[in-house]
Amino acid sequence: MNNLTMDSYFENNHLDDFESEPDEVLSTFPTHNQWGELLFDANGNMPLSLEEQELMIKRLEQKFIEVMEILRISRRDPNSTKTPLRIARMLVKELFAGRYQEAPKSTVFPNRKKVNELIISKGITVMSVCSHHWQPISGDCAIGYIPNKYVLGVSKLSRIVDWFCRRGQIQEELGEQIADYIEDLIKPKALGVVIRARHYCMIARGVKGNEENSLMITSVMRGYLLADLNLRNEFLNLIGMGYVK
Ligand SMILES: [Zn+2]
């Protein structure tokens, strides 16, 4: 892309919301940071040792001190004194923890009774952060599957969802990542992952037409749930998608 097309690209795409840039531009960004460490997607995962996480927190704290200075927020304000460290810890240990921690242990049990019906878990908490603005995404998730040779413990599902939520996400990819993971783990005959969530980047910024009640709903359907309309309707009825609050 030459400069002229680049200019018109940016003109035509108001950078107000910073749409994704074309691949030619993306490929110019670095692959490693200033310490030679590999960079990876916001919703990716690379387990780090506790020492590496502590080092990350120290580096971040220094950067957030600078951020506060740029924003001209005084750390003499007692409410702001430890904010850089607090934000650094929150990012590494909480909001983005799923990037740096191993996947939760998922015990798989044999499907001894040859269950051939939908197994559904709903109301699983979704508490994530949008990759675009680093604002909360808050909602819930329903997962349904028809087992093949294996079933999963119910508590495992919420741990898997939480692990994928604890990173910068976009809701569409969050659902796909959860589905891919469960598919790899138990190879179910049918699998559905429905997420409904509020995006605080819309709410907090007052984006027009996205009032507080607006919900984003994404659904991923695999196997029989993709092919069989009756089964899909049964699933959607059982998770109560007929009366979304
Ligand atoms: Zn956002």
Side-chain angles (χ1 to χ4, degrees), residues 60 64 68 82-92:
L60 271 177
F64 277 111
M68 286 180 69
K82 295 206 167 144
T83 296
L85 178 60
R86 220 174 266 128
I87 295 177
R89 276 214 187 106
M90 176 180 73
L91 288 174
V92 176

Side-chain angles (χ1 to χ4, degrees), residues 69-82:
E69 284 174 4
I70 293 167
L71 290 169
R72 298 176 67 170
I73 296 171
S74 170
R75 285 193 297 135
R76 295 181 181 207
D77 167 357
N79 295 314
S80 304
T81 311
K82 295 206 167 144

Side-chain angles (χ1 to χ4, degrees), residues 17-242:
D17 257 326
F18 301 97
E19 280 95 351
S20 184
E21 299 186 13
D23 285 349
E24 302 92 291
V25 178
L26 293 181
S27 64
T28 64
F29 291 116
T31 55
H32 291 71
N33 65 18
Q34 60 179 292
W35 299 282
E37 297 156 344
L38 185 66
L39 303 171
F40 57 103
D41 287 355
N43 63 3
N45 169 266
M46 191 181 288
L48 297 182
S49 68
L50 286 179
E51 292 72 30
E52 286 171 309
Q53 293 179 32
E54 285 307 315
L55 178 61
M56 197 176 251
I57 290 170
K58 280 210 182 80
R59 287 172 179 166
L60 271 177
E61 182 188 8
Q62 292 311 308
K63 291 296 173 190
F64 277 111
I65 288 172
E66 280 180 48
V67 168
M68 286 180 69
E69 284 174 4
I70 293 167
L71 290 169
R72 298 176 67 170
I73 296 171
S74 170
R75 285 193 297 135
R76 295 181 181 207
D77 167 357
N79 295 314
S80 304
T81 311
K82 295 206 167 144
T83 296
L85 178 60
R86 220 174 266 128
I87 295 177
R89 276 214 187 106
M90 176 180 73
L91 288 174
V92 176
K93 295 290 188 182
E94 293 158 1
L95 301 189
F96 293 163
R99 283 170 59 75
Y100 312 119
Q101 293 176 2
E102 306 266 0
K105 293 257 177 308
S106 304
T107 325
V108 163
F109 301 97
N111 181 15
R112 291 200 303 178
K113 296 280 182 206
K114 306 252 182 299
V115 174
N116 200 29
E117 296 293 331
L118 276 172
I119 299 173
I120 294 172
S121 180
K122 63 177 188 175
I124 301 169
T125 300
V126 165
M127 192 70 237
S128 190
V129 175
C130 82
S131 284
H132 300 146
H133 304 91
W134 292 16
Q135 290 292 303
I137 299 173
S138 164
D140 59 32
C141 172
I143 299 175
Y145 69 98
I146 298 179
N148 199 342
K149 289 182 182 157
Y150 301 101
V151 292
L152 256 179
V154 176
S155 66
K156 307 299 178 226
L157 288 176
S158 51
R159 272 185 227 152
I160 292 165
V161 170
D162 190 59
W163 185 63
F164 281 113
C165 283
R166 297 288 170 184
R167 331 163 173 201
Q169 277 291 5
I170 68 165
Q171 189 175 328
E172 298 87 335
E173 291 185 5
L174 174 61
E176 296 288 342
Q177 283 186 325
I178 294 167
D180 287 346
Y181 190 86
I182 296 171
E183 219 175 1
D184 277 358
L185 208 59
I186 55 167
K187 313 262 184 296
K189 293 179 186 169
L191 176 63
V193 178
V194 175
I195 299 171
R196 50 184 188 176
R198 285 183 170 61
H199 290 240
Y200 282 79
C201 55
M202 303 276 204
I203 298 164
R205 292 160 65 229
V207 175
K208 267 197 194 135
N210 286 285
E211 63 284 354
E212 212 163 313
N213 291 330
S214 76
L215 275 175
M216 180 170 176
I217 300 175
T218 50
S219 87
V220 181
M221 300 289 169
R222 306 262 173 97
Y224 293 172
L225 268 168
L226 184 65
D228 183 339
L229 193 60
N230 285 335
L231 183 68
R232 198 184 321 167
N233 282 333
E234 183 191 335
F235 173 56
L236 292 175
N237 282 334
L238 287 170
I239 65 172
M241 290 303 289

